[in-house]
Amino acid sequence: AQNKKIKVGALRFTSHSASFVALERGYFADAGFDVELEFFQAAQPMAVAIASGDVDYAVTAVSGGLISLAEKGAIKVIGGALKEEAGIDGQQIVVSDAAFQAGLADPSQLDGKDYAITQSGSSFHYVGSNVASAEGLEMSYKPLQKVGAIIGALRSGQVDAWNIVPHIAKPLAGAGAVHIIGAVQDYLPDYQITTAFTSANNAANERGQTKDFLAAFSKGIDDYNGTMIDKSGGDAGVDEMVKLIHKYVYTDRPIEKAAPSIINGTMRLSPNAALNVASIQHQLSWFQSEGLVDADITLETLVDGSYVEMINI
Amino acid sequence: MDIQMKSVSHFYGSTEVLRDISIDIPTGKVVCLVGPSGCGKSTLLRFIGGLERPTQGEVLQLGEPPEGSLNPLTYVFQDFALLPWRSVRGNISLVLEDHGIRGEKANRIIQDVLARTKLSDFENALPKQLSGGMKQRVAIARALAVKPAVMLMDEPLSALDAQTRELLMDDLVALWTRQPFTAVYVTHNLAEAVRLGHKVVVLSRRPGRVREVVEIDTPLTERTTGDPELEKVQNKLWNLMRDEARAADEELVNV
Amino acid sequence: MDIQMKSVSHFYGSTEVLRDISIDIPTGKVVCLVGPSGCGKSTLLRFIGGLERPTQGEVLQLGEPPEGSLNPLTYVFQDFALLPWRSVRGNISLVLEDHGIRGEKANRIIQDVLARTKLSDFENALPKQLSGGMKQRVAIARALAVKPAVMLMDEPLSALDAQTRELLMDDLVALWTRQPFTAVYVTHNLAEAVRLGHKVVVLSRRPGRVREVVEIDTPLTERTTGDPELEKVQNKLWNLMRDEARAADEELVNV
Amino acid sequence: MSDATANAGVQRPVAYRGGGFAPSPRRWVGFVVFAVLVVLAEWGTRSGWISPLTLPKPSDVLDTFGDLYKSGLLFQHLVPSLSRLFMGALIGISLGVVIGILIGLFSYVRAGMVPVVAAIFPIPKIALLPLFVIWFGIGEGSKYALIAFGTFTPTVVATYGAVDNVDRTLIRMGQSFGLSWWSIVRKIVLPGAMPGILSGLRISLAIAIILLVAAEMLGAEFGIGAYILEAGSLYDLERLFAGVVILSVLGVFVSVAVGLVERRLLGWRT
Amino acid sequence: MSDATANAGVQRPVAYRGGGFAPSPRRWVGFVVFAVLVVLAEWGTRSGWISPLTLPKPSDVLDTFGDLYKSGLLFQHLVPSLSRLFMGALIGISLGVVIGILIGLFSYVRAGMVPVVAAIFPIPKIALLPLFVIWFGIGEGSKYALIAFGTFTPTVVATYGAVDNVDRTLIRMGQSFGLSWWSIVRKIVLPGAMPGILSGLRISLAIAIILLVAAEMLGAEFGIGAYILEAGSLYDLERLFAGVVILSVLGVFVSVAVGLVERRLLGWRT
Ligand SMILES: Nc1ncnc2c1ncn2[C@@H]1O[C@H](COP(=O)(O)OP(=O)(O)OP(=O)(O)O)[C@@H](O)[C@H]1O
Ligand SMILES: Nc1ncnc2c1ncn2[C@@H]1O[C@H](COP(=O)(O)OP(=O)(O)OP(=O)(O)O)[C@@H](O)[C@H]1O
Ligand SMILES: [Mg+2]
Ligand SMILES: [Mg+2]
């Protein structure tokens, strides 16, 4: 296919860098795609947009909504993206300054605390719940919808704890607004945070196109991992990559201010978009056990494993 | 064209409003309807104008309306019913437009009726700029514009102050004298009735029946305020109605 | 208690409304104010009632109001001004409450004024259930309840139909005959003025000036519709005013 | 027919040209329309003509509603929502009525407050959610505040409009009988403004219901709004529609209740 | 003073008891109130008396606004928002006026539609966001639809109320002059309903502005609503307030514009 128009959904987060790189470096074009990036404010509408056919491919966390749409036969997960990896700063567990001053310095002390989430069935809910069960304690979950509302609630000490990507956690901690008391990867090693997904139709009937997309997307992943984590290009390579990402992320800040945030946000993207199926199954089971989605949904309903490597089967 | 009411009766729901009314309205005469509040005068007028249908009986028109009459049965309302968003001219042209009369032809008619009602200077005024008396003159001009066979006037002067009322009565007499028209004129005001009516029909309280029909022979132009003949008629009418008027006034409205 | 107006003049913005008005209102007499629309009659009445202040001149009360007068200067309005959410009784007690009159004492006053205005059967009716004439009688009862020294009546009958007007004029004459009250009575209706006024003050067009003061000596009870004496006065008044009334009517309102 | 008639020339009844322009009530049509809509949706979703992504099956929505009721969750969601509605609307409406009356009575308050209210009116409440967290916390406070804030401005506008519309001749009557300022306000201005205030109430309460969802965005575990939000985030259309129907019915109830209050308080109107 | 006066007994001017209850305009007070509020906020935030979490410094908000203007981003945000407002409101209001007039004219339409509109009214638009994506896509379509949906119901209610309030004697007049049904609708009902429709427009447009934020939740990159949402999610109060002020000013502009249209179209009102 030549110059096939496709739409790729994205959030203005560093975790979506693979798409930015693939577009900027022409990997999509090489694969015969004329890609238009479609930006969203939140992950949930992006999933719905895939279902409605407004967007062809996108990357987002596994959420109750995503599973629900998969159950309705609208979408399929086809690959992996952001993941936790030992040795790389991943999502952090943070607590409010007030709670910290009151002595909350370790996740094991979270019993009875208020844990901020955006919505029931969000990835925050999943993480919080797993931390709680690992430590054998109970927390109450406060749905606050918006990241902004959560930050406000943390700053004013109205909720005690939260988990968030490093590039948001670190500056907040630096400003003294919150304190980092642990890492998510201690509780969920190899957690597959985000996945690449598409409409069920694309997965089943546009196999060639989907394969090509994943290939180009994987090149973007390789570039990103190589430059930002393995430092194959040295500092100059990092600078150039930061410049590229800055076209899409923190655009309203000058590059000097944006660069630290972009660098702080660096996490591993699954090489070759490989998918950690064990993690996905774990997430699905959790959603089911919480009664958020139907209990009879199988992994096959959610994932089309024919495209990329399935790890840990 | 005459109008003939043949034993008209009417009910609103279970309330009997009119009972067995028969009245003749001869061409070229002004017939006044008087009666206490709520006896059904306005209802009767709506029947004549075809705006409502009586439960029983019928309203007939005898003979053809005169040549060129656009709207044989034409109303003049108590509260003027002028469109506030149209000028004096616009209010008159409103009733011509639907008959396809526009442009020069409409203009000629409008100028003519404005002149007859002495309104030529106010052609472009909006209703809000006019006093009540002037508004009613516009409504009369509008009625004249469609060359009615019969004018149906429902208390046309009762929203006006006493002095303006006097002035408009003079104007109506002058209009009729210039060119006699047929009219049914509803009023509470006996002075108006004896001033303008060739025939005064007195209705009883609700359910309205015809109590008396008084003919007044004095020509309209010769009727003056002090005329003892007219005074006598007026007193007679008032004596006929006084008790019923009081009873009607003291009735509780059941809203 | 007499009222004396001493060269009262008034401007609204730059519009001169009244010019150098001096009128005496003697105790126990009804003074009628007549004049064309917009000549400032209502404004003058507001000055007497203390609801507004003239630009120049003063309104004086001579002597003390009679013992027990709760509100020496009391209005009766054209549109009745009854509180629609209060019953007949409640509307009357409204004006007593502020004077601390409640309970039995209030009840006695209310029963008395209702009886005088023949409203005793309607004590608990709401205004919406009453005809216009009844409403105005409630307003008169309310005015009587505060034992006014002077009644200020602004076209009290002009919102009523002609028959009710007749009835209420009879009632007013009866009330006055039983116990003479002082009143300033504004009207457009010359028949009313010659029927009720001991003195008729004719105002000119705006800016209103006193054109003529006509005294009528016939006692109120002896005035009848056909009385040639009164007819003469009425005709004289009408001749004084006719042209001005027409001119006032034809003025464009500049809204 | 007879000669007499013929002699009189043409004789015919006057033409009827009245009627119309006076809608008459036909209650059943409303039910029919609802029924038709529901049946259409059911048929469409069953036959696959409407995709399950677009609309849930009405029968499934009903099932969900039944489950909600049976499990007792309905009241667990309804009770906190109703108390939020009640408290929030109470605060917003009482403040709004007071300020509205002050605006209606005092020139300076009017000059000072009307522009402020006009400036506040077009501010979307959801935009302020992050601030509300700081200002009022994530407990019931911020929910009350949000609903109060949303009902405040329309109430103010309706109230001062109502005060402005009180018949000035009634006020002049009060003055002419020497009533005190306070008596005039209490006995004439307030009852006279009541119809306008109540019809403002109708709108304010509808807005309060609409804002329930926004209010329950802030850390609410239970509540119809929270229920709807969760359903939305899980893309669970049955539950979403069940929640929306509850709000809709709530709106109809509130409107009927205001109607009853009106009939009771405003019986004096013609 | 003289004997003559003494003889006449007590003589004094009548007591004044009128006045009041007629608010007079004092425009400057509005500006003073705004100025005082801003100065208070500035002083409070500067002195630390108001925490920076609670309120941004007004001067910082002004700076942000200045940056926004200088960088040209202001118009980049404003233009799409205005076009969404315009299109959405146009669709919602024209549909609303048409349906409102039909409800006003036909008994069956009234009986069928009024309950539907009443049921739709209390549905919060944000609850339907996920559905709107499916129904109308993530492009401009769903934004128009959301604003149209929000302005539709209040317009319908205002319009049929306005039609109901058209003076029936004017309609009867039209019939009595033999005007056709269509002439009566066009020349009497529509102009007569115009004041009510326009005052409904005021409210509908305010609602349209409020809904801008909700509409731009759906995949909008540029737009005042998107700007506010982004500021909110970053808890950037300066930008949040700058955005809110823009909406507020927009609301005032719209209201002034409607006022001008009213003055132009409704000059015939007394
Ligand atoms: N459309 C209607 N439906 C029900 N009752 C009506 C209707 N129109 C009039 N009525 C009642 O019919 C009676 C007669 O009304 P109508 O208006 O004809 O009286 P009227 O003689 O013109 O009174 P007025 O002198 O007060 O104008 C009244 O009791 C009135 O309440
Ligand atoms: N509050 C006001 N402000 C400005 N002009 C006023 C005010 N009140 C009355 N006027 C004007 O003053 C003039 C006299 O008004 P007023 O009401 O006293 O006349 P009137 O003689 O009672 O008229 P009518 O017979 O129509 O009742 C009119 O031209 C009127 O427009
Ligand atoms: Mg009538
Ligand atoms: Mg007056």
Side-chain angles (χ1 to χ4, degrees):
Chain A
Q2 270 312 306
N3 272 337
K4 184 155 194 325
K5 266 197 175 312
I6 60 169
K7 284 193 179 175
V8 174
L11 303 178
R12 293 186 179 276
F13 289 157
T14 49
S15 52
H16 288 254
S17 294
S19 305
F20 308 149
V21 173
L23 177 67
E24 286 291 321
R25 301 230 163 126
Y27 303 146
F28 283 140
D30 294 345
F33 294 122
D34 176 8
V35 162
E36 187 184 327
L37 287 178
E38 192 73 57
F39 287 99
F40 289 84
Q41 298 284 341
Q44 207 270 342
M46 197 153 62
V48 181
I50 294 266
S52 72
D54 281 287
V55 171
D56 295 294
Y57 300 95
V59 173
T60 184
V62 174
S63 64
L66 195 78
I67 300 173
S68 224
L69 286 167
E71 184 203 4
K72 291 189 161 69
I75 62 176
K76 285 277 188 207
V77 169
I78 51 170
L82 197 64
K83 58 178 244 180
E84 291 282 350
E85 185 178 298
I88 300 174
D89 277 351
Q91 292 201 57
Q92 305 295 316
I93 299 171
V94 298
V95 295
S96 71
D97 189 46
F100 187 78
Q101 302 304 339
L104 177 54
D106 189 83
S108 62
Q109 296 165 304
L110 280 170
D111 193 32
K113 299 295 181 196
D114 289 335
Y115 196 85
I117 60 177
T118 52
Q119 287 164 334
S120 320
S122 64
S123 55
F124 301 106
H125 194 183
Y126 169 71
V127 169
S129 175
N130 275 286
V131 170
S133 61
E135 296 286 354
L137 45 81
E138 296 265 335
M139 296 192 289
S140 74
Y141 302 94
K142 295 280 170 201
L144 293 170
Q145 314 300 327
K146 300 262 183 289
V147 169
I150 293 177
I151 295 175
L154 270 175
R155 285 189 178 197
S156 50
Q158 301 182 66
V159 289
D160 302 308
W162 187 38
N163 64 284
I164 187 60
V165 289
H167 61 284
I168 295 180
K170 286 178 189 168
L172 280 176
V178 303
H179 300 269
I180 296 174
I181 61 164
V184 170
Q185 53 184 255
D186 298 343
Y187 298 90
L188 293 164
D190 296 320
Y191 170 28
Q192 183 79 54
I193 303 171
T194 64
T195 61
F197 62 105
T198 185
S199 64
N201 181 51
N202 276 350
N205 306 323
E206 300 280 352
R207 293 198 58 88
Q209 174 189 314
T210 303
K211 258 194 192 119
D212 293 347
F213 168 80
L214 281 171
F217 183 69
S218 299
K219 280 192 194 164
I221 290 177
D222 289 344
D223 276 17
Y224 178 79
N225 284 343
T227 316
M228 299 297 290
I229 297 172
D230 307 330
K231 303 271 161 54
S232 59
D235 284 349
V238 171
D239 279 352
E240 198 193 330
M241 181 63 75
V242 166
K243 228 180 259 165
L244 187 160
I245 295 172
H246 180 245
K247 282 189 186 169
Y248 300 96
V249 182
Y250 300 126
T251 48
D252 54 333
R253 298 189 206 168
I255 181 116
E256 312 80 63
K257 285 194 193 165
S261 295
I262 294 175
I263 292 170
N264 274 336
T266 305
M267 281 173 74
R268 174 82 72 187
L269 300 173
S270 302
N272 296 321
L275 188 70
N276 181 348
V277 193
S279 174
I280 299 295
Q281 177 65 57
H282 188 253
Q283 296 181 42
L284 174 60
S285 304
W286 178 79
F287 282 113
Q288 289 171 328
S289 68
E290 289 287 311
L292 292 164
V293 299
D294 271 357
D296 43 10
I297 300 173
T298 60
L299 192 63
E300 286 66 45
T301 317
L302 180 59
V303 176
D304 184 335
S306 62
Y307 286 100
V308 298
E309 184 193 350
M310 299 283 123
I311 308 169
N312 285 339
I313 291 183
Chain B
M1 191 182 89
D2 297 4
I3 297 282
Q4 198 174 50
M5 262 171 282
K6 276 191 175 167
S7 43
V8 166
S9 301
H10 194 65
F11 286 81
Y12 279 123
S14 60
T15 324
E16 187 175 13
V17 177
L18 289 166
R19 184 183 294 172
D20 194 29
I21 305 271
S22 298
I23 305 175
D24 282 342
I25 295 131
T27 310
K29 301 285 171 195
V30 177
V31 175
C32 289
L33 288 180
V34 299
S37 267
C39 75
K41 303 182 292 298
S42 302
T43 308
L44 208 52
L45 212 61
R46 286 200 291 274
F47 295 154
I48 304 178
L51 292 181
E52 218 165 306
R53 275 180 292 216
T55 318
Q56 265 172 41
E58 47 181 359
V59 182
L60 301 171
Q61 51 185 70
L62 308 183
E64 288 296 339
E67 192 76 30
S69 172
L70 299 175
N71 189 48
L73 301 166
T74 298
Y75 271 91
V76 175
F77 296 89
Q78 175 178 4
D79 49 4
F80 324 134
L82 299 179
L83 302 186
W85 51 87
R86 286 196 177 215
S87 65
V88 168
R89 183 191 179 79
N91 265 287
I92 299 173
S93 82
L94 171 80
V95 299
L96 300 175
E97 289 160 12
D98 259 38
H99 297 282
I101 299 176
R102 282 155 210 276
E104 192 37 48
K105 199 167 161 208
N107 195 36
R108 234 177 310 124
I109 296 178
I110 293 172
Q111 296 307 342
D112 172 51
V113 296
L114 286 179
R116 275 157 74 191
T117 47
K118 294 176 244 164
L119 284 169
S120 300
D121 294 345
F122 301 93
E123 191 177 331
N124 295 312
L126 282 174
K128 69 169 177 180
Q129 300 176 281
L130 303 176
S131 67
M134 298 285 285
K135 282 186 199 150
Q136 195 55 295
R137 281 203 256 154
V138 176
I140 292 169
R142 177 178 62 186
L144 294 174
V146 291
K147 299 203 176 55
V150 181
M151 296 255 264
L152 307 172
M153 308 173 98
D154 194 354
E155 309 194 35
L157 305 185
S158 69
L160 306 176
D161 68 62
Q163 295 166 33
T164 313
R165 208 143 58 209
E166 289 288 335
L167 297 172
L168 266 177
M169 272 197 276
D170 288 350
D171 291 349
L172 282 175
V173 169
L175 270 176
W176 189 89
T177 314
R178 222 186 106 160
Q179 184 181 335
F181 50 83
T182 319
V184 186
Y185 188 106
V186 168
T187 180
H188 272 278
N189 192 322
L190 302 180
E192 272 173 40
V194 299
R195 181 78 183 284
L196 298 172
H198 297 96
K199 186 154 112 178
V200 180
V201 178
V202 182
L203 296 180
S204 70
R205 286 176 64 194
R206 197 180 64 199
R209 273 151 302 152
V210 178
R211 274 195 64 170
E212 182 118 16
V213 180
V214 180
E215 309 258 353
I216 307 178
D217 296 328
T218 325
L220 290 194
T221 35
E222 288 165 27
R223 302 186 185 179
T224 54
T225 344
D227 188 330
E229 192 65 27
L230 295 180
E231 289 292 343
K232 237 177 60 193
V233 177
Q234 189 174 338
N235 269 331
K236 175 181 163 191
L237 291 174
W238 181 228
N239 286 329
L240 271 172
M241 296 176 57
R242 169 181 248 125
D243 294 336
E244 296 213 330
R246 184 169 289 270
D249 189 43
E250 292 186 356
E251 219 161 60
L252 274 189
V253 185
N254 42 354
V255 190
Chain C
M1 191 182 87
D2 298 5
I3 297 282
Q4 198 173 50
M5 262 172 280
K6 276 190 175 167
S7 44
V8 166
S9 299
H10 193 66
F11 286 80
Y12 279 122
S14 60
T15 325
E16 188 175 11
V17 177
L18 290 166
R19 184 185 292 174
D20 195 29
I21 306 274
S22 298
I23 306 176
D24 282 342
I25 294 130
T27 310
K29 300 285 171 196
V30 177
V31 175
C32 289
L33 288 180
V34 299
S37 266
C39 75
K41 303 181 292 297
S42 301
T43 309
L44 209 52
L45 212 60
R46 284 200 294 275
F47 295 154
I48 303 179
L51 291 181
E52 220 167 303
R53 274 180 293 217
T55 318
Q56 265 171 42
E58 47 182 359
V59 182
L60 300 172
Q61 51 185 70
L62 307 183
E64 289 296 338
E67 192 74 29
S69 172
L70 299 174
N71 189 48
L73 301 165
T74 298
Y75 272 92
V76 175
F77 297 89
Q78 175 176 3
D79 49 5
F80 325 133
L82 299 180
L83 302 186
W85 49 88
R86 284 195 179 216
S87 65
V88 168
R89 185 195 177 76
N91 265 288
I92 299 174
S93 82
L94 171 80
V95 299
L96 300 174
E97 288 160 13
D98 260 37
H99 296 283
I101 298 176
R102 282 157 210 276
E104 193 36 48
K105 201 168 160 205
N107 195 37
R108 234 176 311 123
I109 296 178
I110 293 172
Q111 296 306 343
D112 172 52
V113 296
L114 287 180
R116 274 156 76 189
T117 47
K118 293 178 243 163
L119 284 169
S120 301
D121 293 345
F122 301 92
E123 192 176 328
N124 297 311
L126 281 175
K128 70 169 178 180
Q129 298 176 283
L130 303 177
S131 68
M134 298 285 286
K135 282 186 199 148
Q136 194 58 293
R137 281 203 256 153
V138 175
I140 292 170
R142 177 178 61 186
L144 294 175
V146 292
K147 301 202 174 57
V150 181
M151 297 254 263
L152 307 172
M153 309 174 99
D154 195 354
E155 308 194 36
L157 306 185
S158 68
L160 307 176
D161 67 62
Q163 294 166 32
T164 313
R165 208 144 56 210
E166 288 288 335
L167 296 171
L168 266 177
M169 273 197 277
D170 289 348
D171 291 348
L172 282 175
V173 169
L175 269 177
W176 189 89
T177 314
R178 222 186 107 160
Q179 185 181 334
F181 51 82
T182 318
V184 186
Y185 188 107
V186 168
T187 181
H188 272 279
N189 192 322
L190 302 180
E192 273 171 40
V194 300
R195 179 77 185 285
L196 297 172
H198 297 97
K199 187 153 112 179
V200 180
V201 179
V202 182
L203 296 179
S204 70
R205 287 176 63 195
R206 196 180 64 199
R209 273 151 301 153
V210 178
R211 273 194 64 171
E212 183 117 15
V213 178
V214 179
E215 308 260 355
I216 307 176
D217 296 326
T218 325
L220 290 195
T221 36
E222 287 165 28
R223 301 185 186 179
T224 53
T225 343
D227 188 328
E229 192 65 26
L230 294 179
E231 289 290 344
K232 238 176 60 192
V233 178
Q234 190 175 339
N235 271 331
K236 177 181 159 191
L237 290 173
W238 181 229
N239 287 331
L240 270 172
M241 295 175 58
R242 168 181 247 124
D243 294 337
E244 296 213 328
R246 184 169 290 269
D249 189 44
E250 292 186 354
E251 220 160 57
L252 274 189
V253 185
N254 41 354
V255 189
Chain D
M1 328 262 148
S2 70
D3 280 351
T5 325
N7 289 348
V10 197
Q11 166 182 337
R12 58 158 178 263
V14 297
Y16 178 63
R17 50 187 176 170
F21 298 103
S24 48
R26 299 188 207 286
R27 284 182 185 279
W28 54 270
V29 177
F31 292 102
V32 170
V33 168
F34 275 111
V36 167
L37 287 179
V38 168
V39 167
L40 259 182
E42 184 74 30
W43 172 76
T45 42
R46 264 184 205 281
S47 71
W49 175 68
I50 300 175
S51 109
L53 276 181
T54 313
L55 223 57
K57 276 204 204 74
S59 53
D60 285 352
V61 173
L62 199 70
D63 283 351
T64 310
F65 192 80
D67 290 348
L68 203 57
Y69 179 78
K70 267 182 253 146
S71 66
L73 272 174
L74 178 60
F75 293 99
Q76 215 166 342
H77 286 300
L78 207 51
V79 170
S81 283
L82 287 181
S83 87
R84 281 162 199 155
L85 263 186
F86 179 78
M87 285 300 297
L90 189 71
I91 298 170
I93 287 171
S94 18
L95 265 180
V97 167
V98 170
I99 301 280
I101 287 174
L102 293 180
I103 289 178
L105 292 177
F106 301 106
S107 297
Y108 281 94
V109 180
R110 167 174 306 233
M113 288 295 298
V114 169
V116 173
V117 171
I120 292 178
F121 208 15
I123 297 179
K125 316 303 165 277
I126 32 172
L128 300 183
L129 281 183
L131 273 178
F132 271 68
V133 172
I134 299 287
W135 291 352
F136 304 103
I138 54 167
E140 295 301 291
S142 60
K143 294 163 192 90
Y144 296 162
L146 192 101
I147 293 177
F149 189 62
T151 50
F152 172 75
T153 38
T155 308
V156 170
V157 173
T159 304
Y160 82 73
V163 172
D164 286 355
N165 276 339
V166 171
D167 190 349
R168 294 295 124 168
T169 55
L170 293 183
I171 291 176
R172 198 142 344 120
M173 181 276 290
Q175 294 180 325
S176 79
F177 277 97
L179 267 59
S180 66
W181 183 88
W182 180 232
S183 280
I184 291 178
V185 170
R186 229 165 12 113
K187 298 175 184 170
I188 301 179
V189 176
L190 286 191
M194 206 37 89
I197 293 178
L198 282 181
S199 76
L201 202 70
R202 239 174 230 284
I203 295 174
S204 303
L205 287 176
I207 291 178
I209 294 176
I210 291 178
L211 285 178
L212 204 53
V213 170
E216 295 185 351
M217 281 189 167
L218 291 176
E221 281 182 79
F222 290 106
I224 304 297
Y227 179 80
I228 290 178
L229 284 168
E230 194 182 307
S233 78
L234 297 172
Y235 208 81
D236 185 338
L237 291 188
E238 286 80 29
R239 290 209 268 158
L240 183 66
F241 269 75
V244 163
V245 168
I246 294 175
L247 287 189
S248 195
V249 170
L250 203 59
V252 172
F253 270 133
V254 165
S255 161
V256 168
V258 174
L260 287 179
V261 172
E262 272 180 347
R263 205 159 347 132
R264 178 120 184 64
L265 283 186
L266 307 181
W268 48 267
R269 285 192 302 187
T270 28
Chain E
M1 319 283 142
S2 71
D3 281 351
T5 326
N7 288 348
V10 197
Q11 166 181 339
R12 57 158 181 265
V14 297
Y16 179 64
R17 50 189 174 168
F21 298 102
S24 47
R26 302 188 205 287
R27 285 182 184 279
W28 53 270
V29 178
F31 293 101
V32 170
V33 168
F34 274 112
V36 167
L37 286 180
V38 168
V39 167
L40 259 182
E42 183 75 31
W43 172 78
T45 41
R46 265 182 205 283
S47 70
W49 175 68
I50 299 174
S51 108
L53 271 182
T54 314
L55 221 59
K57 277 206 203 74
S59 55
D60 285 352
V61 174
L62 198 72
D63 282 352
T64 310
F65 193 80
D67 290 347
L68 203 58
Y69 179 79
K70 267 182 253 146
S71 66
L73 273 174
L74 178 61
F75 292 98
Q76 217 167 339
H77 286 299
L78 208 50
V79 169
S81 283
L82 286 180
S83 88
R84 281 163 199 155
L85 262 187
F86 178 78
M87 285 301 296
L90 189 72
I91 298 169
I93 288 171
S94 18
L95 265 180
V97 167
V98 169
I99 300 281
I101 287 173
L102 293 180
I103 289 179
L105 291 177
F106 301 106
S107 297
Y108 280 95
V109 179
R110 166 174 308 234
M113 288 295 297
V114 168
V116 173
V117 170
I120 292 178
F121 207 15
I123 296 179
K125 316 303 164 279
I126 32 172
L128 301 182
L129 281 184
L131 275 177
F132 271 69
V133 174
I134 298 283
W135 292 351
F136 304 103
I138 52 162
E140 295 300 292
S142 60
K143 294 166 191 86
Y144 296 164
L146 191 102
I147 294 178
F149 188 62
T151 50
F152 172 75
T153 38
T155 308
V156 170
V157 173
T159 303
Y160 82 72
V163 172
D164 286 355
N165 275 338
V166 172
D167 190 350
R168 295 295 123 167
T169 55
L170 293 183
I171 291 175
R172 196 137 352 114
M173 181 277 290
Q175 294 180 324
S176 80
F177 278 97
L179 267 59
S180 68
W181 185 87
W182 179 232
S183 279
I184 291 178
V185 170
R186 231 168 8 116
K187 297 176 184 170
I188 301 180
V189 176
L190 286 191
M194 207 37 92
I197 294 177
L198 282 180
S199 76
L201 203 70
R202 237 172 230 285
I203 295 175
S204 303
L205 287 175
I207 291 178
I209 294 177
I210 291 178
L211 285 178
L212 204 52
V213 170
E216 294 185 351
M217 279 188 172
L218 292 174
E221 273 188 86
F222 291 107
I224 304 295
Y227 179 79
I228 289 178
L229 285 169
E230 196 184 312
S233 75
L234 300 170
Y235 208 81
D236 185 337
L237 290 189
E238 286 81 28
R239 291 209 269 156
L240 183 68
F241 269 76
V244 164
V245 168
I246 293 174
L247 288 189
S248 192
V249 170
L250 203 60
V252 172
F253 270 132
V254 165
S255 161
V256 169
V258 174
L260 287 179
V261 172
E262 273 181 347
R263 213 173 324 146
R264 178 119 184 64
L265 283 187
L266 307 180
W268 48 267
R269 283 193 305 187
T270 28

